Amino acid sequence: MRMMEQMMIGRLDESDQYLIESAMEVETDGSDHDPYSHEPYRSAGRSRHPALLVHNDQPMNAEVPAELLTRHYLTPNDLFYVRNHHPVPQLEEDDLRDYAVTFDLSALRKGKKGKSRRDGPDGSSSSLDDTVDITLDDLRTKFPRTVVTATLQCSGNRRADYDREVQGGTKRTTGTQWGQGAVSTARWGGVRLVDVVRRIRGKDGVDDDGGDDDGDDGIDHVIFESLDGMISSIPVHKALSPYGDVLLAYEMNGKPLSRDHGHPLRLVVPGYTAVRSVKWLSRVELSTDEAEGPWQRGLNYKVLPPGVTDANDVDLEKMPSVMEASVYSGITRVERVRDASPLNRDKKKTKEDRTEVIESGEKNNPSTAEAEAMEEAAEAGEEEKSGASPSSPPLRPGDRVVVRARGWAWAGGGRNVVRIDVTGDGGRTWTSADVKRGAGQRPGRAWAWVFWTADVPAVVVGEEGGGDGRRTVEVASKAVDDAFNIQPEHCDSNWNVRGLGNGSWYRATARLA
């Protein structure tokens, strides 16, 4: 224990601990049974892809392997990354049949007496209390269906890079050691939150900032509660904007949500970090204050300054929680397509020329035969440039080769990614990538990632006399969004004890096999 004390970064506030224990009691009912006994992976039938890299199964935290991350623009439902905080709620048929979400709009009428006349879900006028229950069936049948393609990314994506790159790996973060795979994209189907709130309020209406049509009621936040006890909130200007596209989603890629991803109903907050997209949604409340609890006001989702290693050194109440996402990119595949250095003499093109596949070099991301087969099938027919001939002379350190890098990029806040720069020589020269998927999204509502490809001159590194098997190249990417936010070169300037928001250059060290 004394050895562990040296690694302590702070103490959990008693109020946060109480909320966590209370939430767990909801799941376990105070009994001794295993709260994870009904997890989807233990149930009959496969609901998760076997290639998912599982960091923890209680609760489930699993990411998409690099070699599969950009295989599909819309991530297959069973391959979508999983980030759970608690056991997955187990609902019986009766629970699903009667499933309803409680909407609490009482803060809008704070100080007003009596009941207001408002339209019900079916459009009829009625007198209702300050809280209204709307069933899942009502959401499906009495509101216009909206479909939004949006990327979700865990706030801790690439946390492992903080631990690997900062101070030689001696400055550690806390939390799941995600690679780049805690990000995925789907077409979400459901009902816009603003449409539901407007219907409940009827012709009294709610402005886009949450206030009544006849004045500002001081509503600044919308709070969301989950069946698993999680509570989170987002600013009202996002939640109730007709351009914010915040969804009460019941579909994922045209199919009902799976249990891992919020069945039967979840929130989807496009452009925000994924913790705000609350799963298993049970309650919505308009509020003058943000939500209580560790996911909103505690340490869990707050980016502390780089010099702070003890949470007791800062006033967490004065620090904002992560909300709108920054700009990110990743590299999922690198191929050597031809030699470029004048040192590589006597290079000849033959019928045996081929493209060599070079793995991205991520730890714990082994390639699989299934992944390779999917890659080859997807790329069949694509014109490849001449590869390195088997008769080419051995590569030497300092030689230059051209490699083809593939990857993804995404910016939060609805900002379009306008450029992805890729380098193979540490930033001395740059190549602008070609965006292959996801280009041309609506300004201010670019909720989904882009896929890109770039042919990049790269410098060969390795020991003299070590053979081609020890030769490597390092390729790095940085994305630029339409506000010209640019990924920083290193992550040390943004290091934080919780390992959140790593948006530094993505580096992939690839071995020349």
Side-chain angles (χ1 to χ4, degrees):
M1 283 299 295
R2 290 178 180 175
M3 292 180 63
M4 295 296 291
E5 285 177 358
Q6 298 176 7
M7 303 173 65
M8 185 180 72
I9 63 166
R11 297 182 183 277
L12 190 65
D13 187 90
E14 290 184 3
S15 62
D16 289 348
Q17 184 64 48
Y18 172 79
L19 287 167
I20 292 173
E21 292 175 353
S22 297
M24 291 304 297
E25 288 175 4
V26 171
E27 279 300 320
T28 62
D29 295 324
S31 66
D32 294 330
H33 83 277
D34 179 3
Y36 292 96
S37 61
H38 295 291
E39 287 291 280
Y41 73 93
R42 293 185 176 181
S43 304
R46 179 171 63 86
S47 63
R48 295 169 180 152
H49 199 289
L52 281 173
L53 302 175
V54 178
H55 293 281
N56 184 32
D57 62 1
Q58 293 187 6
M60 178 59 69
N61 291 286
E63 68 177 284
V64 185
E67 64 268 20
L68 297 181
L69 191 57
T70 52
R71 182 68 5 246
H72 308 274
Y73 185 75
L74 297 180
T75 310
N77 292 6
D78 64 346
L79 190 61
F80 205 98
Y81 87 95
V82 180
R83 171 64 172 112
N84 293 336
H85 295 88
H86 298 131
V88 175
Q90 171 76 3
L91 299 180
E92 304 299 333
E93 289 188 12
D94 289 346
D95 300 321
L96 293 172
R97 183 172 55 251
D98 300 330
Y99 196 91
V101 177
T102 298
F103 288 81
D104 183 349
L105 277 59
S106 59
L108 279 175
R109 294 176 299 284
K110 190 175 182 180
K112 297 181 180 180
K113 297 180 180 180
K115 302 177 180 179
S116 299
R117 187 165 181 249
R118 300 179 295 278
D119 286 350
D122 60 356
S124 62
S125 296
S126 60
S127 292
L128 299 173
D129 294 325
D130 287 338
T131 60
V132 179
D133 290 341
I134 297 184
T135 67
L136 181 60
D137 185 62
D138 282 340
L139 291 174
R140 285 173 170 162
T141 61
K142 297 177 180 179
F143 291 87
R145 177 174 173 268
T146 300
V147 176
V148 176
T149 301
T151 296
L152 297 184
Q153 178 179 263
C154 178
S155 309
N157 203 28
R158 293 187 57 201
R159 180 180 285 123
D161 288 345
Y162 277 130
D163 286 5
R164 186 163 46 245
E165 297 177 15
V166 177
Q167 294 187 6
T170 62
K171 197 172 183 181
R172 310 294 290 181
T173 62
T174 63
T176 301
Q177 293 294 294
W178 298 107
Q180 65 167 316
V183 58
S184 300
T185 298
R187 282 173 58 85
W188 307 96
V191 179
R192 294 193 310 169
L193 176 63
V194 64
D195 292 338
V196 178
V197 173
R198 282 176 170 172
R199 181 74 64 83
I200 295 173
R201 289 290 292 165
K203 294 184 179 180
D204 289 345
V206 175
D207 291 342
D208 296 342
D209 65 356
D212 279 354
D213 289 340
D214 58 355
D216 181 8
D217 280 321
I219 302 301
D220 292 322
H221 306 273
V222 181
I223 298 173
F224 304 94
E225 297 185 19
S226 168
L227 289 176
D228 76 340
M230 182 178 174
I231 305 175
S232 181
S233 63
I234 60 175
V236 72
H237 68 75
K238 170 66 176 179
L240 299 185
S241 169
Y243 307 107
D245 294 327
V246 175
L247 279 188
L248 308 178
Y250 45 77
E251 291 178 356
M252 180 178 180
N253 293 328
K255 299 179 180 179
L257 295 170
S258 66
R259 290 181 60 214
D260 263 331
H261 298 296
H263 178 72
L265 190 71
R266 70 171 298 163
L267 188 72
V268 173
V269 185
Y272 273 44
T273 187
V275 69
R276 306 304 161 205
S277 292
V278 173
K279 295 188 277 190
W280 314 294
L281 186 65
S282 63
R283 191 171 188 274
V284 178
E285 177 186 356
L286 303 191
S287 176
T288 57
D289 300 305
E290 66 176 344
E292 300 281 354
W295 301 280
Q296 195 75 33
R297 301 200 185 196
L299 174 63
N300 294 11
Y301 288 95
K302 295 200 173 183
V303 179
L304 274 59
V308 175
T309 57
D310 188 338
N312 293 315
D313 293 340
V314 296
D315 186 350
L316 290 178
E317 283 291 324
K318 295 181 179 179
M319 306 188 71
S321 293
V322 291
M323 291 285 181
E324 190 173 284
S326 185
V327 58
Y328 306 93
S329 68
I331 299 171
T332 58
R333 182 177 169 93
V334 179
E335 302 166 324
R336 178 182 169 191
V337 292
R338 64 176 181 274
D339 299 338
S341 172
L343 292 176
N344 295 319
R345 295 174 294 274
D346 303 322
K347 183 178 67 172
K348 297 180 181 179
K349 295 180 181 180
T350 71
K351 293 181 179 179
E352 297 167 340
D353 284 352
R354 60 190 176 85
T355 296
E356 296 180 64
V357 175
I358 306 169
E359 297 303 328
S360 66
E362 284 193 34
K363 294 182 180 180
N364 302 320
N365 283 10
S367 61
T368 62
E370 180 186 30
E372 190 65 26
M374 294 171 71
E375 293 252 15
E376 292 175 358
E379 292 167 11
E382 180 180 327
E383 183 178 355
E384 297 285 359
K385 297 183 180 180
S386 298
S389 168
S391 61
S392 297
L395 292 172
R396 308 168 187 172
D399 283 357
R400 296 179 72 85
V401 296
V402 174
V403 296
R404 178 169 299 152
R406 292 179 169 87
W408 60 275
W410 176 65
R415 299 182 300 276
N416 268 295
V417 172
V418 297
R419 197 176 74 236
I420 304 98
D421 300 323
V422 190
T423 181
D425 55 15
R428 288 185 291 274
T429 62
W430 293 92
T431 299
S432 293
D434 295 324
V435 174
K436 298 296 186 180
R437 298 289 305 274
Q441 298 181 52
R442 298 178 68 179
R445 299 168 82 177
W447 308 126
W449 59 11
V450 299
F451 285 178
W452 56 265
T453 300
D455 287 356
V456 186
V459 176
V460 176
V461 297
E463 299 177 2
E464 284 287 358
D468 279 2
R470 298 186 183 180
R471 303 290 186 248
T472 62
V473 294
E474 182 183 84
V475 181
S477 65
K478 61 179 175 72
V480 184
D481 68 20
D482 61 17
F484 293 95
N485 298 307
I486 302 173
Q487 293 181 255
E489 182 174 358
H490 299 291
C491 62
D492 52 357
S493 62
N494 194 43
W495 183 92
N496 59 94
V497 74
R498 285 291 293 118
L500 306 175
N502 186 358
S504 60
W505 294 3
Y506 187 88
R507 292 175 171 84
T509 300
R511 182 172 60 87
L512 302 178

